[in-house]
């Protein structure tokens, strides 16, 4: 049997990274077994539909490199999602089938009647179901004739699932084991709404069945719905085709107190969306490598049983199994996400990074060659957490120094030494800057000849070249900047720092 999984978001806004993790775990299972990964947009709740959300979901998955492997084909090997709103007629037919089999019923109650029902119980425990349904207006409580008349007159109705009393519903969850739910606790969920649209529960089950889904992998927040879903499979007589369930652990706030929400991004000052949404930067804009993000997300709730943390996607595919997913919530630690990105920067070759950097540099208005960028990457690699750091922290590789470290200037910059520094400029003109070691040797020899100390001269050079003491090794910097630029910067520093 081939594995078929789906990621089934509702287009109610941007995906948060919890959604990406759900998509990733589905993707990994499908890839591991040569199966199929489907994207299904669950857009039957028109009240919650958000313009642009579907496109966002598609683009986010694409950016992460976990695109669907089946769907509405574009003819270029890419697949668009299935959309429930385009399958509307189909759900109706299934809902009616359940009414016919007496597994579901029509309910005509108005919003006011429903409100009154709830008011009968001060604790608000009352739900529409086995304990209340006969007091309400539906095809179980009303005479057959009246039901027929109401339907013929086009009175608005919903279709509800009829839940039997005193049953124990068993959900076999691949992560949580057996979960038992008493049917007496369950309400008669609406399957079809008055507007003719199915609810999540009905459309989700019908589609999982028709799309031959073998594993339902989704967030823990859907566990309470699973009992209804099992009952729906039974009501349709589809038990044999029922997929296996796996409810993923919650992603928790950094302090472990509750589920990470979309609002936490702004609250804690880190991205929670893969791509920018409504003016808030996503992981992409902050500068994450999508591979590093996936690696980080894979470890939110899963590990391979060892201490290993860095996994290429191919390794994840190879090692992933639902049995190794934890039950308990996984805390979202942003510093850990940054650590992963830094590891990916270190892992990538200078050439690959330079290629990724090229468009970013161009966007900043820096016209530089790939070769130069490769050198800059080599220079700054240990200092960069994000790709943009090469351009931000290392801006002085692309434009003149904007500010000089005032404390160091005060300590090390001696006006009266200007003639000596001019002599240093002269020396630099004669050096072979292709080779950092020989440049170092020559400059140090010069320092000695002039009766100076290394600790007096190198900081001055460093400040002139980068404005800061934090930069890379000074002779490496000199080789990258080149002779003309080094001399120009020394002169600029004299002029600026020696001004009266
Ligand atoms: N539409 C649901 C969501 O927004 C799908 C849950 C499921 O995977 O069954 O997450």
């Amino acid at each position: 049997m081939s594995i078929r999984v789906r990621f089934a978001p509702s287009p109610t806004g941007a995906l948060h990274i919890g959604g990406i993790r759900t998509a990733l775990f589905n993707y990994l299972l499908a890839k591991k077994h040569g199966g199929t990964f489907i994207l299904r947009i669950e857009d039957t709740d028109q009240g919650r539909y958000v313009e642009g959300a579907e496109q966002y979901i598609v683009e986010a998955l694409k950016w992460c490199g976990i695109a669907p492997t089946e769907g509405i084909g574009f003819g270029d090997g890419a697949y668009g999602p299935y959309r429930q709103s385009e399958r509307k007629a189909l759900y109706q037919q299934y809902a009616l089938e359940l009414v016919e089999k007496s597994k579901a019923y029509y309910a005509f109650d108005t919003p006011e009647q429903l409100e009154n029902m709830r008011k009968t119980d001060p604790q608000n425990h009352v739900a529409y179901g086995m304990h209340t349904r006969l007091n309400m207006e539906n095809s179980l409580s009303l005479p057959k004739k009246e039901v027929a008349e109401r339907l013929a007159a086009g009175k608005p109705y919903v279709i509800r699932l009829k839940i039997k009393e005193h049953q124990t519903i068993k959900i076999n969850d691949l992560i949580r084991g057996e979960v038992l739910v008493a049917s007496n606790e369950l309400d008669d969920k609406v399957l079809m709404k008055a507007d003719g649209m199915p609810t999540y529960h009905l459309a989700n089950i019908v589609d999982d069945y028709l799309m031959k889904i073998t594993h339902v992998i989704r967030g823990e927040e859907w566990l309470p719905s699973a009992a209804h879903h099992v009952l729906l499979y039974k009501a349709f007589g589809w038990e044999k085709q029922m997929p296996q369930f796996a409810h993923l652990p919650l992603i928790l706030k950094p302090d472990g107190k509750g589920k990470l929400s979309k609002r936490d991004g702004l609250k804690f000052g880190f991205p929670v969306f893969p791509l920018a949404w409504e003016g808030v930067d996503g992981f992409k804009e902050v500068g994450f490598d999508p591979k590093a993000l996936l690696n980080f997300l894979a470890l939110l709730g899963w590990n391979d049983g060892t201490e290993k943390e860095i996994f290429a996607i191919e390794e994840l595919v190879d090692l992933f199994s639902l049995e190794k997913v934890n039950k308990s919530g996984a805390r979202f630690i942003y510093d850990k996400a940054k650590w992963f990105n830094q590891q990916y920067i270190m892992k990538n070759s200078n050439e690959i990074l330079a290629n990724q950097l090229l468009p970013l540099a161009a966007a900043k208005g820096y016209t530089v060659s790939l070769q130069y960028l490769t050198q800059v990457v080599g220079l700054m690699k240990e200092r960069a957490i994000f790709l943009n750091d090469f351009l931000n922290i290392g801006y002085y590789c692309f434009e003149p120094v904007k500010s000089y470290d005032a404390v160091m200037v005060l300590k090390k910059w001696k006006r009266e030494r200007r003639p000596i520094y001019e002599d240093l400029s002269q020396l630099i003109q004669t050096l072979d800057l292709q080779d950092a070691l020989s440049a170092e040797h020559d400059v140090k020899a010069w320092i000695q000849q002039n009766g100076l100390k290394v600790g007096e001269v190198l900081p001055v050079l460093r400040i002139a070249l980068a404005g800061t003491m934090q930069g890379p090794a000074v002779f490496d910097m000199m080789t990258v900047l080149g002779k003309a630029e080094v001399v120009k910067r020394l002169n600029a520093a004299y002029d600026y720092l020696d001004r009266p």
Side-chain angles (χ1 to χ4, degrees):
M1 179 189 64
S2 106
I3 299 255
R4 291 176 60 83
V5 293
R6 83 310 191 265
F7 175 49
S10 301
T12 54
L15 270 186
H16 122 316
I17 42 131
I20 296 288
R21 187 199 53 175
T22 301
L24 173 65
F25 284 16
N26 274 286
Y27 175 88
L28 292 177
L29 192 77
K31 283 285 166 182
K32 178 174 179 138
H33 299 285
T36 305
F37 171 56
I38 289 170
L39 172 61
R40 185 173 76 217
I41 301 291
E42 302 210 321
D43 56 351
T44 58
D45 189 348
Q46 290 176 331
R48 297 182 61 221
Y49 184 83
V50 171
E51 203 61 45
E54 177 188 318
Q55 200 190 351
Y56 179 97
I57 292 165
V58 170
E59 275 166 17
L61 293 184
K62 201 156 120 198
W63 178 68
C64 290
I66 49 174
T69 62
E70 184 191 293
I72 300 168
F74 298 137
D76 57 358
Y79 293 97
Y82 294 117
R83 277 180 213 98
Q84 289 188 327
S85 57
E86 289 167 2
R87 300 161 63 81
K88 191 174 143 187
L90 198 141
Y91 308 114
Q92 186 118 29
Q93 159 204 330
Y94 281 101
L96 293 176
E97 182 187 320
L98 287 188
V99 176
E100 231 128 81
K101 288 172 149 176
S102 299
K103 306 281 186 191
Y105 59 92
Y106 297 111
F108 301 97
D109 317 86
T110 61
E112 296 75 42
Q113 284 171 310
L114 293 172
E115 192 48 40
N116 283 338
M117 176 192 82
R118 283 186 205 106
K119 277 196 201 136
T120 58
D121 174 29
Q123 256 112 44
N124 248 344
H125 280 155
V126 175
Y128 203 120
M130 59 188 80
H131 314 291
T132 53
R133 60 168 85 107
L134 290 181
N135 307 328
M136 307 301 290
E137 294 196 9
N138 52 53
S139 55
L140 301 176
S141 64
L142 298 168
K144 258 201 171 94
K145 192 165 156 277
E146 184 162 355
V147 172
E149 278 165 12
R150 287 194 185 198
L151 290 175
K155 287 257 186 293
Y157 65 84
V158 301
I159 296 179
R160 287 181 180 270
L161 178 65
K162 184 175 156 196
I163 295 196
K164 278 208 225 129
E165 282 174 272
H166 309 309
Q167 284 187 300
T168 302
I169 301 132
K170 207 190 316 171
I171 304 150
N172 283 317
D173 190 285
L174 291 170
I175 297 167
R176 279 144 225 283
E178 197 174 82
V179 179
L180 300 176
V181 179
S183 72
N184 288 21
E185 302 292 318
L186 301 178
D187 61 337
D188 288 353
K189 284 262 180 284
V190 173
L191 302 177
M192 284 300 288
K193 291 179 286 185
D195 64 1
M197 280 298 233
T199 57
Y200 153 69
H201 303 287
L202 177 70
N204 186 271
I205 278 8
V206 167
D207 277 348
D208 282 349
Y209 170 75
L210 293 177
M211 294 178 183
K212 299 188 167 42
I213 297 302
T214 57
H215 295 74
V216 166
I217 305 168
R218 61 186 172 192
E220 187 183 305
E221 62 274 28
W222 299 101
L223 188 57
S225 301
H228 281 103
H229 297 174
V230 170
L231 288 177
L232 271 168
Y233 280 100
K234 288 199 173 148
F236 280 117
W238 297 338
E239 290 106 310
K240 290 223 165 58
Q241 285 86 357
M242 187 155 73
Q244 292 198 271
F245 291 100
H247 289 91
L248 305 177
L250 293 178
I251 298 184
L252 304 174
K253 294 181 203 295
D255 58 11
K257 291 188 185 139
K259 188 181 159 194
L260 184 76
S261 80
K262 291 183 177 178
R263 286 173 306 278
D264 286 336
L266 287 178
K267 187 168 151 205
F268 294 103
F270 52 62
V272 288
F273 300 127
L275 313 177
W277 178 256
E278 290 178 342
V280 179
D281 279 350
F283 278 84
K284 179 181 177 199
E285 290 72 24
V286 169
F288 275 85
D289 180 336
K291 295 194 182 79
L293 175 62
L294 288 189
N295 192 159
F296 165 68
L297 292 179
L299 284 142
L300 288 182
W302 173 88
N303 65 70
D304 75 337
T306 73
E307 299 285 294
K308 186 172 150 92
E309 293 188 286
I310 301 292
F311 297 96
I313 188 85
E314 299 76 23
E315 289 177 280
L316 289 174
V317 166
D318 214 34
L319 296 165
F320 184 76
S321 80
L322 286 168
E323 287 72 21
K324 288 206 194 108
V325 175
N326 308 319
K327 284 201 241 334
S328 48
R331 270 205 288 158
F332 178 91
I333 309 285
Y334 184 54
D335 278 345
K336 190 78 197 191
K338 292 204 310 202
W339 178 83
F340 272 105
N341 209 60
Q342 191 176 25
Q343 300 304 308
Y344 272 74
I345 290 213
M346 296 299 289
K347 222 164 79 116
N348 275 326
S349 73
N350 296 355
E351 288 73 20
I352 289 183
L353 292 170
N355 265 302
Q356 295 174 345
L357 208 51
L358 200 60
L360 303 183
K364 280 208 155 213
Y366 299 146
T367 29
V368 280
S369 68
L370 198 61
Q371 194 206 352
Y372 182 73
L373 276 178
T374 311
Q375 282 183 296
V376 172
V377 166
L379 198 63
M380 305 283 304
K381 213 166 173 181
E382 272 103 73
R383 283 166 190 81
I385 292 177
F386 300 116
L387 218 45
N388 263 322
D389 289 344
F390 290 107
L391 306 174
N392 295 336
I393 304 176
Y395 79 91
Y396 48 79
C397 297
F398 305 96
E399 54 180 299
V401 174
K402 287 187 218 164
S403 66
Y404 297 95
D405 178 334
V407 177
M408 283 318 283
V409 167
L410 213 63
K411 262 213 223 146
K412 301 281 177 185
W413 201 272
K414 305 272 183 318
R415 275 183 185 208
E416 63 282 8
R417 288 218 178 118
R418 178 158 187 162
I420 297 181
Y421 294 149
E422 274 172 9
D423 195 40
L424 178 59
S425 282
Q426 301 271 317
L427 169 87
I428 288 169
Q429 316 253 25
T430 69
L431 295 180
D432 170 15
L433 281 195
Q434 296 302 313
D435 177 358
L437 271 181
S438 89
E440 179 171 358
H441 176 267
D442 294 345
V443 171
K444 285 190 172 162
W446 175 88
I447 291 174
Q448 223 177 12
Q449 281 156 24
N450 285 280
L452 296 165
K453 289 194 194 108
V454 171
E456 289 174 320
V457 178
L458 296 195
V460 166
L461 253 177
R462 201 180 250 291
I463 286 170
L465 298 185
T468 163
M469 296 301 290
Q470 253 79 62
V474 72
F475 296 102
D476 293 337
M477 232 172 353
M478 284 168 65
T479 37
V480 171
L481 288 172
K483 203 180 287 187
E485 188 61 27
V486 171
V487 170
K488 201 160 125 195
R489 287 194 185 191
L490 266 172
N491 291 336
Y494 300 147
D495 289 347
Y496 181 79
L497 297 171
D498 284 354
R499 72 195 185 289

